[in-house]
Amino acid sequence: NQKYKLLIVGGGSAGCTMAAKFGKHFKKGEIAVIEPADTHYYQPMFTLVGGGIKKLSECGKPMRTVLPDKVKWIKGSVTEFKPHNNSVTVLNGDEITYDFMIVAAGLQLNYEEIPGLVEALNVPNTGVCSNYSYKYVNRTYEILKQFKSGNAIFTYPNTPVKCPGAPQKICYIAEDYFRKNGIRDKVNIIYNTSLPVLFGVKKYADALWKVVEQRDIKVNLRRNLVKIKPKEKIAVFQNLDVPEELTEMEYSMLHVAPPMSAPNSLKKSKDLVNDLGFVNVNKDTLQHFKYGNVFALGDCSATPNSKTAASVAAQSDIVYQNLLALMEKRPLKGKYNGYASCPLVTGYGKCILAEFDYDLNPLETFPISQDKEMWLMYTMKKDLMPPLYWYGMLKGVWNGPGAVRNILHLNMKK
Ligand code: FAD
Ligand code: UQ1
């Protein structure tokens, strides 16, 4: 039986960031991270790997190198949370207890929920790809390079999603790729989304509708991928407004954003989570409603923000301030405003940087209206964000652009 003062579950964006922030407050042996993966991936770069702009090898680093030396890395998966005992059980049967816990277990990708999908993703030359997993992301660019003609279909699932812009970013990149390679007139580009809108924030949705019109991309709302027939290259979509209506569409290329959910380990821990399995924390303080010594941030939390790494950056400072206050028996003053950001890459060298809060109001860093395709934002996404992530966020010193925004907006009425 091992005991830690601070236990962090998950060594992804949120877990590593919190380990870096709290590392300095604890001695060796007092703080631990439980994480099964050997490699930590910077997932926002997967979009660029799909477009042939970056390599998969540039997205990952060995897990040990992204955790502070002082932090004990318990290589394993939590199978059960027992917050009433201040403990968790790990897959090998070990029981680990804690004084304080941060849950940062991310989202689970449920590829197997679509019949035919895993089969199609595991054999070459099926035309099916997915930027969402390191296992499949290399297929996207391979398919782009081999593409000759036909339908290129891009999907958005009927579940919570991380980076809700990513399913359409690759659609724009592919469109631009076909254009640049002289075969645009041989391709029908179709974006089938389960959502009733193109994007949740009106300002950016308006901008994106202009992009899809200009570029002749067909958008079908409320269309959910339910099945693939890999041999015939047919994808089956359900009309979510008329559930009995199923449509078969032939594809040469099919990019799938898979169904996602809270991790199974959390879904089972009824005491800790809401009906969908997301950790029930206060949306302002990020403290658990029932178990005050538990905090959650990132994709596994039930807070109603868009699930992005940029949100994690902003949340990390709130969890840090509030958990520190709790440990020192001071009142919790940190309040998360729901900040999320989504660099909507609209082609090679173009990007609309969406930034918004809980109320889906724009919360923009730069003192210019950001609903335009800009080269500057593309360069930021491609060249600035990766070092900002590895050497700022994962070292515990990047709390999102809130401070930059305040400086750039000095003397400006909002
Ligand atoms: P993750 O980083 O996914 O980490 C969760 C960790 O928990 C994983 O390492 C997992 O192994 C571990 N875990 C799970 N279950 C258990 C368990 N039972 N026990 C122990 N450990 C467990 N965000 C942006 O801000 N901008 C972007 O442009 C952007 N683009 C994206 C594009 C794509 C294709 C994808 C996939 C994501 C993108 N994101 C983007 C989203 C961003 O990557 C996530 O929001 C972010 O990584 C969330 O951090 P997290 O720590 O909550 O989850
Ligand atoms: C951000 O902070 C962040 O986390 C490191 C991202 O994830 C990769 C982002 O994509 C963006 C856009 C931000 C916000 C940063 C600025 C400078 C606007």
Side-chain angles (χ1 to χ4, degrees):
N1 193 354
Q2 308 169 50
K3 170 147 188 158
Y4 295 92
K5 286 194 172 156
L6 177 60
L7 180 66
I8 300 174
V9 178
S13 305
C16 288
T17 301
M18 294 321 299
K21 283 188 182 287
F22 277 104
K24 59 177 181 279
H25 293 276
F26 292 100
K27 294 203 226 26
K28 215 171 176 153
E30 291 181 335
I31 168 169
V33 170
I34 308 183
E35 165 63 58
D38 288 311
T39 306
H40 175 109
Y41 284 104
Y42 173 59
Q43 302 165 45
M45 202 182 268
F46 289 172
T47 295
L48 303 180
V49 175
I53 302 156
K54 297 272 185 181
K55 294 200 164 56
L56 180 57
S57 58
E58 296 173 80
C59 302
K61 291 195 183 186
M63 192 60 69
R64 184 65 263 181
T65 67
V66 293
L67 291 169
D69 291 339
K70 246 198 231 170
V71 168
K72 164 87 179 167
W73 173 23
I74 302 167
K75 189 168 164 13
S77 283
V78 168
T79 49
E80 202 182 341
F81 291 83
K82 299 171 182 159
H84 46 282
N85 288 334
N86 296 321
S87 76
V88 301
T89 310
V90 184
L91 192 56
N92 66 6
D94 282 358
E95 186 97 355
I96 296 171
T97 54
Y98 56 82
D99 292 333
F100 300 94
M101 174 169 69
I102 297 174
V103 188
L107 273 179
Q108 173 176 302
L109 304 173
N110 298 320
Y111 284 100
E112 68 293 340
E113 279 181 13
I114 311 275
L117 178 56
V118 176
E119 182 194 336
L121 284 167
N122 281 327
V123 279
N125 304 322
T126 55
V128 181
C129 56
S130 177
N131 284 356
Y132 268 81
S133 165
Y134 70 91
K135 289 186 206 158
Y136 310 125
V137 59
N138 273 330
R139 297 173 65 99
T140 307
Y141 192 54
E142 282 161 22
I143 292 170
L144 283 183
K145 282 187 291 186
Q146 290 161 6
F147 194 97
K148 296 206 170 55
S149 66
N151 289 340
I153 306 179
F154 300 81
T155 75
Y156 186 111
N158 190 26
T159 67
V161 160
K162 52 178 150 181
C163 198
Q168 62 185 293
K169 295 176 198 179
I170 189 58
C171 176
Y172 302 131
I173 292 171
E175 196 276 344
D176 204 16
Y177 183 90
F178 298 139
R179 201 173 280 273
K180 289 198 159 61
N181 287 278
I183 58 165
R184 179 64 185 90
D185 58 339
K186 299 195 174 64
V187 197
N188 287 316
I189 300 187
I190 301 158
Y191 180 63
N192 280 354
T193 173
S194 293
L195 299 177
V197 291
L198 189 48
F199 197 75
V201 180
K202 186 174 182 302
K203 173 170 181 168
Y204 307 113
D206 290 349
L208 292 166
W209 278 113
K210 283 188 199 140
V211 172
V212 298
E213 273 157 34
Q214 277 163 13
R215 309 260 294 270
D216 193 20
I217 294 168
K218 173 92 181 103
V219 177
N220 296 309
L221 302 176
R222 304 286 287 154
R223 291 295 185 288
N224 182 32
L225 177 69
V226 290
K227 188 177 174 174
I228 296 177
K229 301 179 185 173
K231 289 198 185 74
E232 297 140 274
K233 291 200 165 183
I234 284 176
V236 185
F237 291 89
Q238 179 182 36
N239 180 347
L240 291 169
D241 293 327
V242 191
E244 62 279 11
E245 186 187 308
L246 299 176
T247 312
E248 297 202 337
M249 295 177 102
E250 227 176 298
Y251 59 82
S252 300
M253 170 178 188
L254 178 69
H255 178 273
V256 180
M260 299 170 217
S261 70
N264 287 341
S265 57
L266 278 173
K267 284 193 221 164
K268 287 189 303 197
S269 306
K270 301 284 181 215
D271 241 16
L272 214 50
V273 300
N274 68 9
D275 291 347
L276 291 175
F278 293 99
V279 187
N280 246 332
V281 292
N282 179 300
K283 76 192 242 292
D284 303 319
T285 62
L286 307 179
Q287 183 186 35
H288 196 268
F289 280 116
K290 183 164 173 196
Y291 299 100
N293 62 338
V294 175
F295 284 74
L297 77 166
D299 297 348
C300 73
S301 95
T303 53
N305 56 282
S306 260
K307 298 182 186 300
T308 67
S311 314
V312 173
Q315 292 167 352
S316 69
D317 190 41
I318 308 297
V319 172
Y320 177 64
Q321 300 297 341
N322 284 345
L323 181 48
L324 209 55
L326 184 74
M327 288 169 175
E328 294 168 357
K329 303 195 165 52
R330 291 181 282 113
L332 275 53
K333 291 197 181 136
K335 252 185 108 172
Y336 173 50
N337 59 6
Y339 174 79
S341 142
C342 198
L344 294 150
V345 178
T346 50
Y348 293 88
K350 292 181 278 191
C351 177
I352 293 173
L353 179 61
E355 295 181 276
F356 47 95
D357 62 12
Y358 271 139
D359 299 324
L360 301 179
N361 288 322
L363 188 59
E364 301 186 335
T365 299
F366 301 94
I368 38 167
S369 188
Q370 289 176 198
D371 57 351
K372 314 247 171 346
E373 297 180 85
M374 280 187 261
W375 177 84
L376 176 71
M377 303 308 183
Y378 176 82
T379 305
M380 248 183 46
K381 159 86 187 161
K382 177 165 90 60
D383 300 322
L384 178 69
M385 287 304 151
L388 188 67
Y389 181 79
W390 297 115
Y391 307 110
M393 187 164 161
L394 292 200
K395 300 291 177 201
V397 295
W398 172 250
N399 299 325
V404 179
R405 181 176 61 243
N406 290 340
I407 293 167
L408 294 179
H409 287 257
L410 270 185
N411 302 322
M412 293 191 57
K413 281 223 178 82
K414 272 244 77 181

